[in-house]
Amino acid sequence: MAICIDFELIEIENTIARYRYGDCLRELDGMFETDLYRFTSGELPGDTSMAEVVVLLNNNQSQWSAIKAFTKIYRHFQEHGEYPVKGGYYA
């Protein structure tokens, strides 16, 4: 079974990025926010739960899907030092 999750940046406020996400070819109706500057700087302890790193913002979402999108966002951030505008997780 293939997994396909798309995401797109809504806005960045200070260091917090807000994203919408969802299954490919469907409405991106999930929303989450993350602060990768705090996460990568070590300001958040290593045992911080993913629910505190990937904060869900509405009822139309899956924590699992949000974490998959976050993984791609995090890798891009590590490589380029900025939040990606769009992308996806495909497996």
PDB file of all heavy atoms in Angstrom, residues 5-30:
ATOM      1  N   ILE A   5       1.371  11.890   1.266  1.00  0.00           N
ATOM      2  CA  ILE A   5       0.895  13.017   2.069  1.00  0.00           C
ATOM      3  C   ILE A   5       1.514  14.285   1.498  1.00  0.00           C
ATOM      4  O   ILE A   5       2.728  14.375   1.346  1.00  0.00           O
ATOM      5  CB  ILE A   5       1.290  12.845   3.553  1.00  0.00           C
ATOM      6  CG1 ILE A   5       0.679  11.561   4.111  1.00  0.00           C
ATOM      7  CG2 ILE A   5       0.863  14.062   4.365  1.00  0.00           C
ATOM      8  CD1 ILE A   5       1.281  11.114   5.412  1.00  0.00           C
ATOM      9  N   ASP A   6       0.694  15.257   1.168  1.00  0.00           N
ATOM     10  CA  ASP A   6       1.167  16.557   0.695  1.00  0.00           C
ATOM     11  C   ASP A   6       1.062  17.579   1.815  1.00  0.00           C
ATOM     12  O   ASP A   6       0.212  17.446   2.704  1.00  0.00           O
ATOM     13  CB  ASP A   6       0.318  17.051  -0.482  1.00  0.00           C
ATOM     14  CG  ASP A   6       0.656  16.356  -1.781  1.00  0.00           C
ATOM     15  OD1 ASP A   6       1.806  15.913  -1.947  1.00  0.00           O
ATOM     16  OD2 ASP A   6      -0.237  16.265  -2.640  1.00  0.00           O
ATOM     17  N   PHE A   7       1.910  18.602   1.747  1.00  0.00           N
ATOM     18  CA  PHE A   7       1.831  19.684   2.721  1.00  0.00           C
ATOM     19  C   PHE A   7       2.204  20.994   2.042  1.00  0.00           C
ATOM     20  O   PHE A   7       2.890  21.007   1.022  1.00  0.00           O
ATOM     21  CB  PHE A   7       2.739  19.424   3.930  1.00  0.00           C
ATOM     22  CG  PHE A   7       4.203  19.274   3.598  1.00  0.00           C
ATOM     23  CD1 PHE A   7       5.022  20.384   3.465  1.00  0.00           C
ATOM     24  CD2 PHE A   7       4.760  18.025   3.421  1.00  0.00           C
ATOM     25  CE1 PHE A   7       6.367  20.249   3.166  1.00  0.00           C
ATOM     26  CE2 PHE A   7       6.103  17.871   3.124  1.00  0.00           C
ATOM     27  CZ  PHE A   7       6.912  18.993   2.990  1.00  0.00           C
ATOM     28  N   GLU A   8       1.718  22.089   2.611  1.00  0.00           N
ATOM     29  CA  GLU A   8       2.102  23.417   2.130  1.00  0.00           C
ATOM     30  C   GLU A   8       2.113  24.396   3.285  1.00  0.00           C
ATOM     31  O   GLU A   8       1.303  24.314   4.212  1.00  0.00           O
ATOM     32  CB  GLU A   8       1.212  23.901   0.995  1.00  0.00           C
ATOM     33  CG  GLU A   8      -0.199  24.182   1.352  1.00  0.00           C
ATOM     34  CD  GLU A   8      -1.029  24.633   0.150  1.00  0.00           C
ATOM     35  OE1 GLU A   8      -0.711  24.268  -0.990  1.00  0.00           O
ATOM     36  OE2 GLU A   8      -2.018  25.352   0.389  1.00  0.00           O
ATOM     37  N   LEU A   9       3.046  25.315   3.211  1.00  0.00           N
ATOM     38  CA  LEU A   9       3.222  26.334   4.236  1.00  0.00           C
ATOM     39  C   LEU A   9       2.082  27.347   4.168  1.00  0.00           C
ATOM     40  O   LEU A   9       1.752  27.840   3.086  1.00  0.00           O
ATOM     41  CB  LEU A   9       4.563  27.038   4.018  1.00  0.00           C
ATOM     42  CG  LEU A   9       4.973  28.115   5.011  1.00  0.00           C
ATOM     43  CD1 LEU A   9       5.187  27.523   6.394  1.00  0.00           C
ATOM     44  CD2 LEU A   9       6.242  28.793   4.523  1.00  0.00           C
ATOM     45  N   ILE A  10       1.498  27.659   5.304  1.00  0.00           N
ATOM     46  CA  ILE A  10       0.455  28.684   5.390  1.00  0.00           C
ATOM     47  C   ILE A  10       1.090  30.018   5.744  1.00  0.00           C
ATOM     48  O   ILE A  10       0.869  31.020   5.073  1.00  0.00           O
ATOM     49  CB  ILE A  10      -0.604  28.326   6.459  1.00  0.00           C
ATOM     50  CG1 ILE A  10      -1.281  27.008   6.128  1.00  0.00           C
ATOM     51  CG2 ILE A  10      -1.614  29.455   6.608  1.00  0.00           C
ATOM     52  CD1 ILE A  10      -2.137  26.470   7.262  1.00  0.00           C
ATOM     53  N   GLU A  11       1.891  30.011   6.828  1.00  0.00           N
ATOM     54  CA  GLU A  11       2.537  31.242   7.276  1.00  0.00           C
ATOM     55  C   GLU A  11       3.661  30.914   8.253  1.00  0.00           C
ATOM     56  O   GLU A  11       3.716  29.824   8.817  1.00  0.00           O
ATOM     57  CB  GLU A  11       1.533  32.167   7.957  1.00  0.00           C
ATOM     58  CG  GLU A  11       0.996  31.631   9.280  1.00  0.00           C
ATOM     59  CD  GLU A  11       0.013  32.569   9.958  1.00  0.00           C
ATOM     60  OE1 GLU A  11      -0.037  33.757   9.607  1.00  0.00           O
ATOM     61  OE2 GLU A  11      -0.704  32.094  10.843  1.00  0.00           O
ATOM     62  N   ILE A  12       4.541  31.874   8.395  1.00  0.00           N
ATOM     63  CA  ILE A  12       5.583  31.808   9.417  1.00  0.00           C
ATOM     64  C   ILE A  12       5.408  33.030  10.306  1.00  0.00           C
ATOM     65  O   ILE A  12       5.346  34.156   9.806  1.00  0.00           O
ATOM     66  CB  ILE A  12       7.001  31.811   8.795  1.00  0.00           C
ATOM     67  CG1 ILE A  12       7.195  30.607   7.895  1.00  0.00           C
ATOM     68  CG2 ILE A  12       8.051  31.846   9.903  1.00  0.00           C
ATOM     69  CD1 ILE A  12       8.510  30.613   7.135  1.00  0.00           C
ATOM     70  N   GLU A  13       5.301  32.791  11.594  1.00  0.00           N
ATOM     71  CA  GLU A  13       5.170  33.872  12.570  1.00  0.00           C
ATOM     72  C   GLU A  13       6.324  33.729  13.561  1.00  0.00           C
ATOM     73  O   GLU A  13       6.386  32.741  14.294  1.00  0.00           O
ATOM     74  CB  GLU A  13       3.825  33.770  13.289  1.00  0.00           C
ATOM     75  CG  GLU A  13       3.558  34.904  14.228  1.00  0.00           C
ATOM     76  CD  GLU A  13       2.171  34.803  14.838  1.00  0.00           C
ATOM     77  OE1 GLU A  13       1.217  34.451  14.140  1.00  0.00           O
ATOM     78  OE2 GLU A  13       2.077  35.082  16.052  1.00  0.00           O
ATOM     79  N   ASN A  14       7.224  34.700  13.536  1.00  0.00           N
ATOM     80  CA  ASN A  14       8.480  34.612  14.292  1.00  0.00           C
ATOM     81  C   ASN A  14       9.230  33.369  13.804  1.00  0.00           C
ATOM     82  O   ASN A  14       9.665  33.339  12.675  1.00  0.00           O
ATOM     83  CB  ASN A  14       8.247  34.631  15.793  1.00  0.00           C
ATOM     84  CG  ASN A  14       7.621  35.934  16.250  1.00  0.00           C
ATOM     85  OD1 ASN A  14       7.999  37.006  15.795  1.00  0.00           O
ATOM     86  ND2 ASN A  14       6.651  35.854  17.142  1.00  0.00           N
ATOM     87  N   THR A  15       9.367  32.341  14.620  1.00  0.00           N
ATOM     88  CA  THR A  15      10.051  31.115  14.187  1.00  0.00           C
ATOM     89  C   THR A  15       9.090  29.941  14.032  1.00  0.00           C
ATOM     90  O   THR A  15       9.518  28.836  13.714  1.00  0.00           O
ATOM     91  CB  THR A  15      11.151  30.738  15.195  1.00  0.00           C
ATOM     92  OG1 THR A  15      10.564  30.538  16.481  1.00  0.00           O
ATOM     93  CG2 THR A  15      12.224  31.818  15.266  1.00  0.00           C
ATOM     94  N   ILE A  16       7.809  30.182  14.235  1.00  0.00           N
ATOM     95  CA  ILE A  16       6.802  29.117  14.168  1.00  0.00           C
ATOM     96  C   ILE A  16       6.203  29.065  12.763  1.00  0.00           C
ATOM     97  O   ILE A  16       5.731  30.074  12.240  1.00  0.00           O
ATOM     98  CB  ILE A  16       5.681  29.343  15.193  1.00  0.00           C
ATOM     99  CG1 ILE A  16       6.266  29.311  16.606  1.00  0.00           C
ATOM    100  CG2 ILE A  16       4.577  28.315  15.036  1.00  0.00           C
ATOM    101  CD1 ILE A  16       5.299  29.729  17.688  1.00  0.00           C
ATOM    102  N   ALA A  17       6.238  27.874  12.171  1.00  0.00           N
ATOM    103  CA  ALA A  17       5.645  27.670  10.843  1.00  0.00           C
ATOM    104  C   ALA A  17       4.330  26.916  10.992  1.00  0.00           C
ATOM    105  O   ALA A  17       4.230  25.960  11.766  1.00  0.00           O
ATOM    106  CB  ALA A  17       6.591  26.877   9.963  1.00  0.00           C
ATOM    107  N   ARG A  18       3.328  27.352  10.245  1.00  0.00           N
ATOM    108  CA  ARG A  18       2.032  26.672  10.206  1.00  0.00           C
ATOM    109  C   ARG A  18       1.863  26.055   8.830  1.00  0.00           C
ATOM    110  O   ARG A  18       2.074  26.715   7.811  1.00  0.00           O
ATOM    111  CB  ARG A  18       0.906  27.650  10.495  1.00  0.00           C
ATOM    112  CG  ARG A  18       0.902  28.075  11.935  1.00  0.00           C
ATOM    113  CD  ARG A  18      -0.272  28.966  12.314  1.00  0.00           C
ATOM    114  NE  ARG A  18      -0.085  29.442  13.675  1.00  0.00           N
ATOM    115  CZ  ARG A  18       0.645  30.509  14.016  1.00  0.00           C
ATOM    116  NH1 ARG A  18       1.238  31.220  13.085  1.00  0.00           N
ATOM    117  NH2 ARG A  18       0.788  30.849  15.272  1.00  0.00           N
ATOM    118  N   TYR A  19       1.471  24.792   8.836  1.00  0.00           N
ATOM    119  CA  TYR A  19       1.294  24.024   7.602  1.00  0.00           C
ATOM    120  C   TYR A  19      -0.108  23.436   7.529  1.00  0.00           C
ATOM    121  O   TYR A  19      -0.701  23.116   8.544  1.00  0.00           O
ATOM    122  CB  TYR A  19       2.287  22.854   7.549  1.00  0.00           C
ATOM    123  CG  TYR A  19       3.682  23.255   7.159  1.00  0.00           C
ATOM    124  CD1 TYR A  19       4.615  23.602   8.120  1.00  0.00           C
ATOM    125  CD2 TYR A  19       4.059  23.283   5.830  1.00  0.00           C
ATOM    126  CE1 TYR A  19       5.903  23.965   7.762  1.00  0.00           C
ATOM    127  CE2 TYR A  19       5.350  23.646   5.463  1.00  0.00           C
ATOM    128  CZ  TYR A  19       6.256  23.989   6.424  1.00  0.00           C
ATOM    129  OH  TYR A  19       7.520  24.348   6.054  1.00  0.00           O
ATOM    130  N   ARG A  20      -0.580  23.279   6.296  1.00  0.00           N
ATOM    131  CA  ARG A  20      -1.763  22.457   6.054  1.00  0.00           C
ATOM    132  C   ARG A  20      -1.244  21.198   5.375  1.00  0.00           C
ATOM    133  O   ARG A  20      -0.230  21.232   4.677  1.00  0.00           O
ATOM    134  CB  ARG A  20      -2.828  23.193   5.267  1.00  0.00           C
ATOM    135  CG  ARG A  20      -2.602  23.356   3.825  1.00  0.00           C
ATOM    136  CD  ARG A  20      -3.775  24.056   3.122  1.00  0.00           C
ATOM    137  NE  ARG A  20      -3.415  25.452   2.891  1.00  0.00           N
ATOM    138  CZ  ARG A  20      -4.003  26.493   3.449  1.00  0.00           C
ATOM    139  NH1 ARG A  20      -5.018  26.351   4.250  1.00  0.00           N
ATOM    140  NH2 ARG A  20      -3.599  27.714   3.194  1.00  0.00           N
ATOM    141  N   TYR A  21      -1.933  20.091   5.591  1.00  0.00           N
ATOM    142  CA  TYR A  21      -1.487  18.815   5.043  1.00  0.00           C
ATOM    143  C   TYR A  21      -2.673  17.884   4.866  1.00  0.00           C
ATOM    144  O   TYR A  21      -3.756  18.119   5.405  1.00  0.00           O
ATOM    145  CB  TYR A  21      -0.435  18.162   5.957  1.00  0.00           C
ATOM    146  CG  TYR A  21      -1.025  17.658   7.253  1.00  0.00           C
ATOM    147  CD1 TYR A  21      -1.360  16.320   7.403  1.00  0.00           C
ATOM    148  CD2 TYR A  21      -1.284  18.510   8.310  1.00  0.00           C
ATOM    149  CE1 TYR A  21      -1.924  15.857   8.582  1.00  0.00           C
ATOM    150  CE2 TYR A  21      -1.836  18.065   9.477  1.00  0.00           C
ATOM    151  CZ  TYR A  21      -2.152  16.734   9.612  1.00  0.00           C
ATOM    152  OH  TYR A  21      -2.722  16.281  10.771  1.00  0.00           O
ATOM    153  N   GLY A  22      -2.460  16.840   4.101  1.00  0.00           N
ATOM    154  CA  GLY A  22      -3.485  15.830   3.893  1.00  0.00           C
ATOM    155  C   GLY A  22      -3.042  14.809   2.869  1.00  0.00           C
ATOM    156  O   GLY A  22      -1.957  14.909   2.300  1.00  0.00           O
ATOM    157  N   ASP A  23      -3.895  13.843   2.633  1.00  0.00           N
ATOM    158  CA  ASP A  23      -3.601  12.811   1.646  1.00  0.00           C
ATOM    159  C   ASP A  23      -3.511  13.430   0.259  1.00  0.00           C
ATOM    160  O   ASP A  23      -4.259  14.357  -0.074  1.00  0.00           O
ATOM    161  CB  ASP A  23      -4.701  11.742   1.649  1.00  0.00           C
ATOM    162  CG  ASP A  23      -4.735  10.941   2.945  1.00  0.00           C
ATOM    163  OD1 ASP A  23      -3.697  10.813   3.602  1.00  0.00           O
ATOM    164  OD2 ASP A  23      -5.826  10.438   3.285  1.00  0.00           O
ATOM    165  N   CYS A  24      -2.597  12.910  -0.544  1.00  0.00           N
ATOM    166  CA  CYS A  24      -2.425  13.407  -1.911  1.00  0.00           C
ATOM    167  C   CYS A  24      -3.743  13.314  -2.686  1.00  0.00           C
ATOM    168  O   CYS A  24      -4.546  12.417  -2.451  1.00  0.00           O
ATOM    169  CB  CYS A  24      -1.364  12.585  -2.638  1.00  0.00           C
ATOM    170  SG  CYS A  24       0.286  12.785  -1.929  1.00  0.00           S
ATOM    171  N   LEU A  25      -3.947  14.268  -3.568  1.00  0.00           N
ATOM    172  CA  LEU A  25      -5.130  14.354  -4.427  1.00  0.00           C
ATOM    173  C   LEU A  25      -6.416  14.592  -3.644  1.00  0.00           C
ATOM    174  O   LEU A  25      -7.503  14.377  -4.153  1.00  0.00           O
ATOM    175  CB  LEU A  25      -5.267  13.110  -5.314  1.00  0.00           C
ATOM    176  CG  LEU A  25      -4.059  12.801  -6.187  1.00  0.00           C
ATOM    177  CD1 LEU A  25      -4.267  11.486  -6.931  1.00  0.00           C
ATOM    178  CD2 LEU A  25      -3.777  13.935  -7.152  1.00  0.00           C
ATOM    179  N   ARG A  26      -6.290  15.031  -2.418  1.00  0.00           N
ATOM    180  CA  ARG A  26      -7.453  15.392  -1.598  1.00  0.00           C
ATOM    181  C   ARG A  26      -7.209  16.771  -1.014  1.00  0.00           C
ATOM    182  O   ARG A  26      -6.112  17.304  -1.061  1.00  0.00           O
ATOM    183  CB  ARG A  26      -7.648  14.384  -0.479  1.00  0.00           C
ATOM    184  CG  ARG A  26      -7.962  13.006  -0.997  1.00  0.00           C
ATOM    185  CD  ARG A  26      -8.746  12.242  -0.009  1.00  0.00           C
ATOM    186  NE  ARG A  26      -9.158  10.986  -0.610  1.00  0.00           N
ATOM    187  CZ  ARG A  26      -9.445   9.926   0.062  1.00  0.00           C
ATOM    188  NH1 ARG A  26      -9.372   9.941   1.378  1.00  0.00           N
ATOM    189  NH2 ARG A  26      -9.818   8.831  -0.544  1.00  0.00           N
ATOM    190  N   GLU A  27      -8.256  17.325  -0.418  1.00  0.00           N
ATOM    191  CA  GLU A  27      -8.127  18.631   0.226  1.00  0.00           C
ATOM    192  C   GLU A  27      -7.143  18.531   1.388  1.00  0.00           C
ATOM    193  O   GLU A  27      -7.169  17.576   2.171  1.00  0.00           O
ATOM    194  CB  GLU A  27      -9.494  19.083   0.739  1.00  0.00           C
ATOM    195  CG  GLU A  27      -9.473  20.441   1.363  1.00  0.00           C
ATOM    196  CD  GLU A  27     -10.844  20.884   1.836  1.00  0.00           C
ATOM    197  OE1 GLU A  27     -11.834  20.204   1.551  1.00  0.00           O
ATOM    198  OE2 GLU A  27     -10.891  21.919   2.509  1.00  0.00           O
ATOM    199  N   LEU A  28      -6.278  19.524   1.498  1.00  0.00           N
ATOM    200  CA  LEU A  28      -5.335  19.575   2.616  1.00  0.00           C
ATOM    201  C   LEU A  28      -6.059  20.209   3.799  1.00  0.00           C
ATOM    202  O   LEU A  28      -5.986  21.412   4.024  1.00  0.00           O
ATOM    203  CB  LEU A  28      -4.087  20.383   2.230  1.00  0.00           C
ATOM    204  CG  LEU A  28      -3.332  19.906   1.004  1.00  0.00           C
ATOM    205  CD1 LEU A  28      -2.106  20.785   0.755  1.00  0.00           C
ATOM    206  CD2 LEU A  28      -2.930  18.456   1.126  1.00  0.00           C
ATOM    207  N   ASP A  29      -6.788  19.396   4.557  1.00  0.00           N
ATOM    208  CA  ASP A  29      -7.635  19.940   5.618  1.00  0.00           C
ATOM    209  C   ASP A  29      -7.064  19.784   7.018  1.00  0.00           C
ATOM    210  O   ASP A  29      -7.632  20.268   7.982  1.00  0.00           O
ATOM    211  CB  ASP A  29      -9.037  19.337   5.547  1.00  0.00           C
ATOM    212  CG  ASP A  29      -9.050  17.824   5.659  1.00  0.00           C
ATOM    213  OD1 ASP A  29      -7.966  17.216   5.771  1.00  0.00           O
ATOM    214  OD2 ASP A  29     -10.151  17.245   5.635  1.00  0.00           O
ATOM    215  N   GLY A  30      -5.915  19.141   7.154  1.00  0.00           N
ATOM    216  CA  GLY A  30      -5.243  19.083   8.444  1.00  0.00           C
ATOM    217  C   GLY A  30      -4.335  20.294   8.595  1.00  0.00           C
ATOM    218  O   GLY A  30      -3.863  20.859   7.607  1.00  0.00           O
TER     219      GLY A  30
END
